[in-house]
Amino acid sequence: MSSSKISKIKNFHPHPVTGKADDSFVGLRIKGNDIHFFYPESYRFDEESLEVRTDIIDLLRTIGIAKTSSIEPSKANNTTRVQGEFALMSYIWVIRDFLANGFYINREKTYKVNESGRVDWKRTMETQPIVSNGNIIYPNIIVSVKNEVDNLIVDIHKYCVKKSIDFIGWLFNLSSSFIETKPFNAGVKKLYIATIKKELDRTFEDDKRIRLKHLLNVVVGLDANENNDEFVYGVDSYYYIFERMIDSIFGNVKNMSDFNPKASWQLVRNDYREKNSRDLRPDTIIVKEDGTVFILDSKFYRFGFTGDESDLPETTSIQKQITYGEYISKYVTKVDVKEVYNAFLLPYDKQRDMFRSEENLQYIGFAKSKWKDNKLGYELVHTFLIDLHHVVKTWSRLNHSEDVERLVSEILEHNEEAKGILGV
C-alpha cells in the first residue's frame, strides 16, 4: 500500500500504559466515535507510522492469549475484560476474507421434481421415460433451485461484513456506507444464530466451517437493538500475556509438572494426613540435548523503560529462581540434567535512548543471593531486556531457533564472565 493511500485514523487516542495498579489496562476502548488504544509503554508505537494499523492489530491479537485455556487459567481469565462481546479477531477475519474474496455467493444448488425452477435436462433425461404413441415423455421434470439456507447465509455474511467494518473498519481504512443490509432485531438475531449452527452441523468443508464460526462469533456479539455505543476489548494486566509469549518463543517443555518444586501440609486437624500444597511453577524451561537446562522467568517490570533499579525483580523473585534451579538439579529425573542456569527477561524498546540498541536482546547483568556461595550456575540469575515489539511480532511463529540459540549462548557466555567477576 503506498503512503498516498494511507490516511490518519480519525478520533484516535493512543495511551501508553505504565502497568501500575491504576494504569494497567491494555487494549481497545471504543465509545461513540472515539477510539482509545492502550498499549504497554515499552511497546514501540508511532501513530504517524505507515505500519500503525498493523502495529495495533498485532498487539490486539495478543489479547486473545488471555482468553485461551492454559495450565493456570485463573491467571488469564481474571484479567480479561470484554464488554459488548467485542469479537475482535472475528471482525478482523471477516474483513480480511471480504477484501480477499468479496461477498459470499450462493453457488449451492438443490434439485427438486416437478416444481418451479430452471429445468436440468441432463438430470431429467436420466430418469425413466414413458413411451406413448411413439412419443417419449419424461413425467418427472428435475429443476434446480438455490439452497434457501445458503441464501440466508448470503444475507448473514453481508450483515457481518457491514458490522465488522462499522466496529473496526478504521483499522483497514474502510467505510461500510456502500453496504445495504436488511433490518436487524432480536428475532433476526435468533434466526441468524440458528441458521449458522444448523449449517455448521451439516458442513464438513474446512474453509466453510471457519467462515461460519467467525460469522457466528460476530452475530452472537451483536446488540439486537443496535444501541451499544461502547466496546471494550483488553486485559487489566499484560504480565500474563508477556509470560505466555516468552514461553512460546523460548520454551520447549510443554508439560512442566515434573519440573515443579512440590511441598505438602500435615495438619493436626487431619490426623497428620499429608495434603499437597500448590506447586511452584517456572514460567519457561529450555532443555538442550546435552541435558543443560535454562529456567526463564518473564518479568513485565518497568526497568527497561525507566532505567530505575527499583524496577528490577525483588529478592523473592531471585529466591524463587534459585529454588527452581536447586530442585531441578537435584530431583528431576525426567531428563539427565547436566547443568542448570537461570535468567530473567524484561521488556524494553530497543529504539528508546534509555537502552538504545540494534539488538532485540540486551544483557544488563546478573542477580545473586547473599546466602549462597554462587558457585553453581543456577545460583546466578542473568538478566536480559527483550524488545517488546519483536516479541509481539514474532511470538506466534513456528520457528524461534535463532532467538533461542542467541539467548542460550549469551547466558553461558555471561555466566563465565560472572564467575570471573565473583572469583568463584
Side-chain angles (χ1 to χ4, degrees), residues 4-253:
S4 62
K5 293 183 180 179
I6 296 178
S7 62
K8 191 172 182 178
I9 302 172
K10 295 179 181 179
N11 305 313
F12 181 72
H13 311 281
H15 307 276
V17 172
T18 64
K20 295 180 180 179
D22 59 347
D23 185 31
S24 62
F25 174 77
V26 172
L28 195 64
R29 189 188 303 274
I30 301 176
K31 186 172 180 60
N33 292 323
D34 289 318
I35 302 161
H36 295 271
F37 176 60
F38 299 84
Y39 62 95
E41 61 187 358
S42 294
Y43 183 64
R44 189 162 52 258
F45 182 76
D46 178 5
E47 63 176 313
E48 302 295 332
S49 167
L50 299 181
E51 300 297 320
V52 60
R53 288 173 169 83
T54 300
D55 289 342
I56 295 170
I57 291 173
D58 286 342
L59 185 71
L60 293 177
R61 281 181 62 243
T62 68
I63 303 299
I65 295 172
K67 298 187 69 181
T68 58
S69 60
S70 66
I71 294 174
E72 296 178 280
S74 59
K75 271 191 176 183
N77 297 338
N78 288 343
T79 61
T80 308
R81 187 190 301 179
V82 183
Q83 291 176 207
E85 292 298 327
F86 196 73
L88 178 79
M89 299 317 299
S90 288
Y91 299 149
I92 291 173
W93 190 95
V94 167
I95 291 174
R96 285 178 168 166
D97 178 63
F98 166 70
L99 292 175
N101 303 306
F103 288 117
Y104 180 74
I105 298 174
N106 183 0
R107 294 187 175 88
E108 188 171 336
K109 295 180 179 180
T110 59
Y111 297 93
K112 298 186 177 181
V113 179
N114 294 332
E115 293 192 17
S116 59
R118 186 174 180 177
V119 177
D120 187 315
W121 288 111
K122 181 179 180 182
R123 290 177 182 270
T124 297
M125 295 178 71
E126 289 174 350
T127 64
Q128 184 66 40
I130 297 173
V131 178
S132 177
N133 298 323
N135 297 315
I136 298 177
I137 301 171
Y138 289 90
N140 299 315
I141 305 299
I142 309 297
V143 299
S144 63
V145 295
K146 291 291 182 67
N147 184 310
E148 291 181 6
V149 171
D150 227 32
N151 283 336
L152 191 51
I153 296 293
V154 171
D155 293 338
I156 295 172
H157 181 258
K158 183 175 288 188
Y159 192 81
C160 288
V161 170
K162 180 176 177 62
K163 298 310 293 184
S164 296
I165 294 176
D166 285 345
F167 290 134
I168 62 162
W170 51 273
L171 279 173
F172 299 85
N173 201 20
L174 291 174
S175 168
S176 69
S177 59
F178 67 98
I179 304 174
E180 295 183 3
T181 59
K182 296 178 181 180
F184 187 80
N185 54 46
V188 172
K189 179 176 180 177
K190 289 181 180 179
L191 174 63
Y192 282 3
I193 291 173
T195 300
I196 296 172
K197 289 182 175 179
K198 182 177 180 180
E199 193 70 358
L200 274 169
D201 287 341
R202 74 182 193 90
T203 299
F204 299 96
E205 184 184 336
D206 288 343
D207 289 344
K208 191 171 183 179
R209 289 186 62 82
I210 292 171
R211 178 182 291 108
L212 289 169
K213 286 179 180 178
H214 283 295
L215 295 183
L216 183 61
N217 289 341
V218 174
V219 174
V220 166
L222 292 175
D223 185 339
N225 297 315
E226 299 192 283
N227 61 1
N228 195 341
D229 66 346
E230 181 173 9
F231 290 93
V232 177
Y233 182 85
V235 286
D236 288 323
S237 175
Y238 201 71
Y239 82 97
Y240 175 81
I241 292 173
F242 180 66
E243 176 187 313
R244 292 297 90 202
M245 289 191 295
I246 292 298
D247 189 55
S248 178
I249 293 173
F250 295 102
N252 66 355
V253 177

Side-chain angles (χ1 to χ4, degrees), residues 255-271:
N255 182 5
M256 294 197 291
S257 60
D258 290 331
F259 295 84
N260 296 351
K262 298 171 176 62
S264 63
W265 283 97
Q266 291 179 253
L267 300 178
V268 173
R269 62 186 290 179
N270 296 328
D271 295 326

